[in-house]
Amino acid sequence: MIDWVHPSILFILGACVIPFLRGKLQQIWLLTIPVLAVLSVYSMTQGSFWGVNFLDNQLLFGKVDKLSTVFAWVFSIMSCIGMVYALHVKDSGQHVSAYLYIAGSLGVTFAGDFFSLFIFWELMAFASAYLIFAKREKAATEAGYRYILVHIFGGVCLLGGIIIHSIQTQSIAVGPLPQDGSFAFYLILVGVILNAAVPPLHAWLTDAYPEGTVTGSVFMSAFTTKTAVYVLVRVFPGTELLVYMGTIMALYGVVYAVLENDCRRLLAYHIISQVGYMVAGVGIGTDMSLNGSVSHAFAHILYKGLLFMGAGSVIYMTGKRKLTELGGLYKTMPITLTLYMIGGFAISAFPLFSGFVTKSMVVSGAAHDHRPAVALLLTLASAGTFLHTGLKLPYYMFFGKDSGIRTKEPPLNMLIAMGMAAFLCIGIGVLPGPLYHLLPFPVHFEPYTGDHVTSALGILLFTGLGFFMLLKKLDPEPTISADTDWFYRKGSRVFMWFANKPLTIYENYLTNIYNTWFSRGVIKSSDYLGFVFDSKFIDGIVNGFARFFVGLSSELRRAHNGLIRGYAYCMLSATVVIIGYYLFKHVM
Amino acid sequence: MIGKIVNFIGDSKNAGKLKKIGYVALVVTFISDFFVHREHAIYIWDKIPGWGAFYGFISCVLIIIISKFIGHQGGIMKKEDYYD
């Protein structure tokens, strides 16, 4: 009897079948596997499953506890929503890579040892990269290469850290690492926070997500960073450094979002901002803040998925992605606008929406842990969140100056997927109990107190007032923002220039010296040695033989002079020798 | 239904009405903060009625001004063909 089914296996096997199916059959298959995955998570019991002995190490593919289960829940739910959203896509390659990507994130979630975690971690990186390449545009291809290079760097750091850790401790079990500041600790941390998009290792996210396919970016917004948050909660709870990094992240994303003109890049900066709350929560490390991080990751996957689906719908229908080129779409896309706004309210933590019951737990966690500055700065960032995703983006996309674009609502499957996410955003906000019940620690937090509701509404509505007062200042500008990807985008050019110009000149100079002095000298001296050897030694032997035989033959020729007398001498002397020999032998 | 509400909000003729609704919402939120029970207050500002409204407004203004300053003066905002 099968006691436990790894949901990743469902997705990996499912992905193998996709290329052989077409049309309706493929669509049914695309939805079947995520539903089976949800059922497998639903039927899970806690414990350790699928342990394999490999090279004297115990690999454990199924470590099920409350923390892994809550992430598995949201990953499998999001896989359903994402697949409904991508149902109209005819490109099997995208579906396969989305399946493998989900398999990777679920594999990391259940990994009980660092090696299997690493394998699934890399599966995620490579599978997700295809979702960028699949757009088949030059900019996307370039962004895809940068994406994969950065993730390879992160993967190498992670693997290096894992190997050093396993050598030092003789253990590869996934669990909180000792906060000893060892090299292994920091290598693993760098590998993980790269995927969590912590500045300055974040630029891959805002570089790649806007370049992905409309449906691919929805998956990407959900899985990579949140899997990293899971690993942070699992491995690095209470790491003080993360408090500061998380707070900086929360503000960093907000600042860049003000400057951004590309709608999905704006949302990508808000992923950084929101993941900042989770990272800070992990750093604070109390039960409440860790619960906050986990629940915020849960809510974030749904509302950020919804926001990316909304922006993706607009891109899908209009072919435009810059706020300066959009506007006035409310007339023809009211349902998309409404569903997007539900995501916007959820991310902004409006009461009755999911962000309100999750984000406030992190902020309260900071406040209860006597970190007033962190609590204040995180609250400031949440004002910024509403400012951008709840006001700026929808205002310039759907209202504002009419761009003259007249289009329709997106296909029905896209609307249904957005509806599912929107339903959950409101459901969690109204009834947080079931989500709180899933969290790893007992929840002692009541979001709906009078002062909490009024202060949250005060922050948000007066942010709205500020927005409309400074509307002119916020008008999107047709620019792009330089970020830390500058270093490897421009840096690679500097490298190429260095390789092409100074390095080539230097190399040519060296080659010349080599050719002039070294090669020529060697060739000359070897020529001379060859000549000497040839003439004195080889020729000596050959010529010696030749001379000997020539001499011999000329002597022989002299004997054949044709004179009878000569021949008679020869015969006589030979007869004398033969008789002499005979006498000598027998008579003597 | 949704279409009607969205069209009402989007129509520039209704801007005045929406402004009034907005102001009423702001005033109601601000005043209601004076009447709530503050048993969870930890820091001094949690006890000040209207703090949320004040902090939200200040945050918004600071974020916009500081970000735009960094963007324009700090050389962050580049032309769209910068990397081409």
Side-chain angles (χ1 to χ4, degrees):
Chain A
M1 187 189 143
I2 301 168
D3 54 352
W4 187 73
V5 178
H6 198 314
S8 295
I9 294 297
L10 294 173
F11 280 105
I12 290 171
L13 294 178
C16 298
V17 179
I18 290 173
F20 303 104
L21 302 175
R22 289 283 176 276
K24 280 265 178 285
L25 206 60
Q26 190 187 54
Q27 292 184 330
I28 292 168
W29 183 254
L30 287 176
L31 294 181
T32 306
I33 297 291
V35 170
L36 286 178
V38 172
L39 289 176
S40 83
V41 176
Y42 174 74
S43 61
M44 264 176 208
T45 49
Q46 295 191 7
S48 295
F49 307 92
W50 291 21
V52 182
N53 222 336
F54 178 74
L55 300 178
D56 294 335
N57 284 306
Q58 174 74 11
L59 298 188
L60 182 60
F61 290 97
K63 186 180 178 192
V64 185
D65 58 9
K66 283 199 95 168
L67 180 59
S68 50
T69 313
V70 63
F71 274 90
W73 263 116
V74 70
F75 286 151
S76 52
I77 291 171
M78 189 61 211
S79 70
C80 288
I81 296 173
M83 273 301 152
V84 173
Y85 188 73
L87 214 53
H88 64 281
V89 175
K90 297 276 186 286
D91 180 3
S92 295
Q94 282 192 52
H95 296 310
V96 170
S97 53
Y99 261 36
L100 294 177
Y101 186 20
I102 298 163
S105 62
L106 283 164
V108 170
T109 308
F110 287 117
D113 67 282
F114 275 116
F115 281 128
S116 57
L117 183 145
F118 174 77
I119 292 164
F120 285 113
W121 190 267
E122 291 298 295
L123 176 63
M124 280 171 65
F126 283 89
S128 57
Y130 182 77
L131 297 172
I132 308 165
F133 289 118
K135 205 167 164 215
R136 297 186 172 86
E137 285 174 10
K138 186 168 174 280
T141 309
E142 288 172 358
Y145 277 120
R146 287 193 293 273
Y147 176 87
I148 201 74
L149 284 174
V150 173
H151 279 282
I152 287 171
F153 169 74
V156 168
C157 289
L158 181 64
L159 182 63
I162 289 170
I163 291 171
I164 297 172
H165 170 74
S166 67
I167 291 170
Q168 281 172 347
T169 61
Q170 301 298 319
S171 161
I172 56 167
V174 174
L177 287 180
Q179 309 248 344
D180 52 2
S182 65
F183 190 48
F185 177 87
Y186 283 113
L187 269 182
I188 297 177
L189 186 66
V190 166
V192 178
I193 64 173
L194 186 139
N195 267 27
V198 177
L201 304 171
H202 67 288
W204 60 268
L205 189 153
T206 49
D207 181 18
Y209 286 13
E211 302 298 343
T213 62
V214 164
T215 54
S217 288
V218 174
F219 289 106
M220 299 212 287
S221 73
F223 291 104
T224 301
T225 47
K226 261 59 74 185
T227 313
V229 168
Y230 162 79
V231 178
L232 284 177
V233 175
R234 176 73 79 194
V235 181
F236 296 100
T239 305
E240 187 69 16
L241 185 64
L242 294 177
V243 182
Y244 311 114
M245 285 182 155
T247 312
I248 290 168
M249 274 175 90
L251 296 167
Y252 193 95
V254 163
V255 167
Y256 265 85
V258 177
L259 313 175
E260 204 43 69
N261 187 28
D262 183 308
C263 62
R264 285 196 297 180
R265 188 161 283 136
L266 190 155
L267 292 175
Y269 273 112
H270 267 285
I271 296 180
I272 295 174
S273 177
Q274 295 301 301
V275 174
Y277 286 83
M278 302 166 212
V279 172
V282 173
I284 294 164
T286 59
D287 285 4
M288 187 199 259
S289 70
L290 288 173
N291 270 343
S293 292
V294 174
S295 61
H296 197 42
F298 194 104
H300 179 91
I301 287 173
L302 298 168
Y303 62 62
K304 187 55 81 176
L306 176 53
L307 294 171
F308 260 88
M309 288 191 275
S313 300
V314 169
I315 294 172
Y316 184 71
M317 297 310 292
T318 64
K320 301 210 183 306
R321 52 196 260 193
K322 291 173 192 160
L323 294 182
T324 40
E325 296 172 349
L326 292 162
L329 297 177
Y330 75 94
K331 290 171 189 160
T332 50
M333 298 181 87
I335 299 174
T336 308
L337 165 64
T338 309
L339 293 169
Y340 174 90
M341 281 316 293
I342 290 172
F345 287 136
I347 194 175
S348 313
F350 258 86
L352 300 180
F353 293 89
S354 60
F356 182 73
V357 302
T358 59
K359 191 192 283 184
S360 51
M361 220 190 293
V362 180
V363 180
S364 291
H368 281 104
D369 200 42
H370 310 296
R371 297 173 190 273
V374 173
L376 276 178
L377 288 173
L378 290 180
T379 311
L380 186 142
S382 86
T385 306
F386 180 53
L387 175 65
H388 300 124
T389 46
L391 292 166
K392 178 187 165 185
L393 197 147
Y395 180 82
Y396 288 106
M397 194 184 252
F398 293 101
F399 300 105
K401 188 167 65 68
D402 194 343
S403 61
I405 299 170
R406 294 289 175 267
T407 178
K408 290 186 301 202
E409 297 283 4
L412 185 63
N413 66 302
M414 289 171 119
L415 286 177
I416 290 173
M418 291 167 73
M420 289 161 74
F423 175 80
L424 287 169
C425 285
I426 296 174
I428 293 168
V430 175
L431 280 177
L435 173 59
Y436 284 179
H437 183 69
L438 285 174
L439 296 180
F441 303 103
V443 176
H444 307 289
F445 180 72
E446 173 52 59
Y448 287 106
T449 58
D451 57 338
H452 188 194
V453 171
T454 54
S455 69
L457 278 176
I459 287 167
L460 295 170
L461 293 182
F462 279 81
T463 298
L465 178 68
F467 169 76
F468 284 108
M469 283 172 70
L470 294 173
L471 194 56
K472 278 280 158 278
K473 278 216 162 279
L474 267 176
D475 276 349
E477 299 169 63
T479 57
I480 55 170
S481 310
D483 205 340
T484 52
D485 55 342
W486 187 90
F487 289 100
Y488 52 81
R489 296 178 75 164
K490 284 285 180 186
S492 63
R493 272 170 217 202
V494 172
F495 176 77
M496 288 313 290
W497 176 84
F498 183 72
N500 284 332
K501 298 283 159 110
L503 210 60
T504 313
I505 292 166
Y506 174 71
E507 203 251 344
N508 282 341
Y509 184 69
L510 273 190
T511 313
N512 271 338
I513 290 176
Y514 179 83
N515 283 344
T516 315
W517 298 104
F518 191 71
S519 301
R520 206 173 284 173
V522 168
I523 290 167
K524 284 233 158 126
S525 54
S526 67
D527 272 356
Y528 177 72
L529 280 176
F531 172 75
V532 170
F533 184 73
D534 210 26
S535 60
K536 298 286 172 198
F537 193 71
I538 303 283
D539 286 3
I541 294 170
V542 173
N543 293 349
F545 269 105
R547 271 198 292 272
F548 171 74
F549 283 105
V550 167
L552 189 70
S553 60
S554 68
E555 287 302 318
L556 283 174
R557 198 183 57 202
R558 206 176 294 163
H560 293 273
N561 51 13
L563 294 173
I564 297 295
R565 159 179 97 223
Y567 294 124
Y569 284 142
C570 278
M571 289 162 72
L572 186 67
S573 52
T575 310
V576 169
V577 168
I578 290 165
I579 291 168
Y581 175 75
Y582 181 83
L583 286 175
F584 186 75
K585 191 95 194 259
H586 294 280
V587 179
M588 297 289 289
Chain B
M1 224 276 277
I2 290 173
K4 270 186 188 167
I5 296 172
V6 170
N7 271 310
F8 179 82
I9 295 170
D11 197 338
S12 54
K13 278 182 282 183
N14 301 320
K17 278 184 205 166
L18 286 171
K19 233 180 210 174
K20 271 181 205 156
I21 295 171
Y23 285 133
V24 169
L26 290 175
V27 171
V28 169
T29 312
F30 185 72
I31 292 175
S32 63
D33 206 31
F34 283 81
F35 295 98
V36 288
H37 189 55
R38 296 180 188 279
E39 56 182 312
H40 300 290
I42 298 173
Y43 300 111
I44 179 87
W45 51 79
D46 293 330
K47 295 173 187 136
I48 306 169
W51 163 257
F54 169 76
Y55 191 64
F57 183 76
I58 293 293
S59 301
C60 175
V61 172
L62 279 179
I63 288 168
I64 295 174
I65 291 174
I66 292 176
S67 307
K68 282 280 178 178
F69 179 80
I70 295 173
H72 285 292
Q73 309 302 322
I76 300 286
M77 290 166 102
K78 304 278 186 198
K79 285 189 182 146
E80 284 178 323
D81 58 357
Y82 178 66
Y83 284 119
D84 296 335

